[in-house]
Amino acid sequence: MTRLTAAERLLQDLGITEPSEIDLEAIAFHLGARVRYRKLEGCEARIIGRNDAAIITIGKDCSDRRRRFSLAHEIGHWTHHKGQTLVCRVEESTPQGKMSPERVANNYAADLLMPRYLFDPAARVYPKLNFKTVHEIADTFHTSRSATAIRLVESGHSPAFLVCHGLKGRKWFARGPDVPPRWFPRDDLDADSFAFGVLYGKKPDDPMPRIIDADAWFDRRDAGKFTVHEQTIRTATDEILTLVLISDSEMLEDE
């Protein structure tokens, strides 16, 4: 059994057995923090604490799911960084990496909103990884598509990458645990990819994954002998998310 994280232990201690029971304001109050919503300039959330009490302020102009992640992020700071002075930057759609205080708070937020003991069984209901699956699970946990897709890929639902591109190239990516590190997505967006048409050609989101040569996504000499499945959605005027699904067992073998 996978070891529970601090956020997951808290949820289990509180008797949380369904995603709908994750009441972040109640959880914050349980931990000694009051939550208020105000118009903020220059940030989306902040926390001020002393001893065992804190006030968390969330920007009221953000979307509901963004406010939810911001609150979970600040609860993460209150749990891990009491007594520290931090410049807070909430980035819900950035995968795991170097464990800075902000990344610790982001990971805590993901565990609080999508605890694996609830998330993994919910994900197993969906045999195929695509953005329809992402959308439906995001609705269940009341989370963003980006954060939910990262969770699905990094949990190993299917061998896959999640890649975010802006107009200047790749912004970040998440790799599934079953994908060998030799497969590393290109910095640029290949003109032959379907994603290129969505970002630059203003084509609509892909309704389902489509097959494409792997060298459109990976800059390796042997990439051309493989194919992958690709599905892209637009997340902003100048940003897209792409699922790159790997089904060829040879691509998943260790060198």
Side-chain angles (χ1 to χ4, degrees):
M1 181 176 178
T2 304
R3 184 177 179 181
L4 295 176
T5 65
E8 291 166 341
R9 287 196 303 272
L10 172 63
L11 292 173
Q12 290 207 341
D13 289 345
L14 293 173
I16 302 298
T17 59
E18 299 288 341
S20 60
E21 297 172 352
I22 304 174
D23 185 333
L24 295 182
E25 292 187 17
I27 291 170
F29 184 81
H30 172 77
L31 296 174
R34 290 185 296 159
V35 181
R36 62 185 186 181
Y37 298 89
R38 300 284 190 275
K39 187 174 182 62
L40 295 176
E41 299 291 341
C43 65
E44 296 181 0
R46 68 186 180 205
I47 182 169
I48 299 174
R50 183 178 181 183
N51 297 327
D52 292 325
I55 295 176
I56 296 173
T57 304
I58 306 296
K60 66 178 183 179
D61 294 333
C62 300
S63 68
D64 182 53
R65 296 190 187 190
R66 182 66 177 180
R67 289 197 303 268
R68 188 169 164 80
F69 192 93
S70 295
L71 177 51
H73 176 97
E74 299 304 335
I75 293 173
H77 277 315
W78 183 234
T79 300
H80 288 284
H81 306 126
K82 288 182 182 179
Q84 298 183 35
T85 301
L86 299 171
V87 177
C88 188
R89 180 177 176 83
V90 182
E91 293 287 354
E92 66 169 324
S93 59
T94 304
Q96 295 183 13
K98 184 179 178 181
M99 296 306 287
S100 66
E102 291 308 298
R103 189 56 50 80
V104 170
N106 283 344
N107 290 349
Y108 186 95
D111 290 337
L112 195 62
L113 293 169
M114 299 173 283
R116 294 197 185 279
Y117 73 91
L118 297 179
F119 188 88
D120 290 348
R124 284 196 292 269
V125 172
Y126 299 89
K128 295 182 179 180
L129 178 57
N130 52 49
F131 279 114
K132 183 176 185 294
T133 294
V134 171
H135 179 77
E136 293 185 8
I137 295 177
D139 283 349
T140 297
F141 287 86
H142 206 48
T143 48
S144 73
R145 291 182 299 178
S146 297
T148 306
I150 290 171
R151 196 68 156 176
L152 280 165
V153 168
E154 292 188 336
S155 70
H157 180 283
S158 303
F161 284 88
L162 180 69
V163 191
C164 177
H165 279 92
L167 297 177
K168 295 183 179 180
R170 193 188 71 225
K171 300 174 74 171
W172 54 262
F173 73 92
R175 181 202 310 270
D178 296 329
V179 181
R182 71 176 182 273
W183 296 108
F184 196 93
R186 298 167 48 149
D187 290 330
D188 61 320
L189 193 56
D190 191 279
D192 291 332
S193 68
F194 303 117
F196 189 93
V198 177
L199 181 59
Y200 297 107
K202 308 301 181 183
K203 290 186 177 180
D205 294 353
D206 294 327
M208 291 297 292
R210 295 188 282 180
I211 195 167
I212 190 170
D213 289 341
D215 56 4
W217 285 96
F218 305 106
D219 192 15
R220 285 178 54 95
R221 286 182 297 176
D222 59 344
K225 69 177 185 178
F226 302 109
T227 58
V228 296
H229 284 80
E230 166 194 338
Q231 185 184 13
T232 298
I233 61 170
R234 183 180 299 279
T235 53
T237 303
D238 57 353
E239 184 181 279
I240 59 171
L241 275 182
T242 302
L243 280 169
V244 181
L245 306 166
I246 299 174
S247 57
D248 193 313
S249 60
E250 190 176 343
M251 289 185 68
L252 302 176
E253 294 175 355
D254 292 329
E255 284 187 318

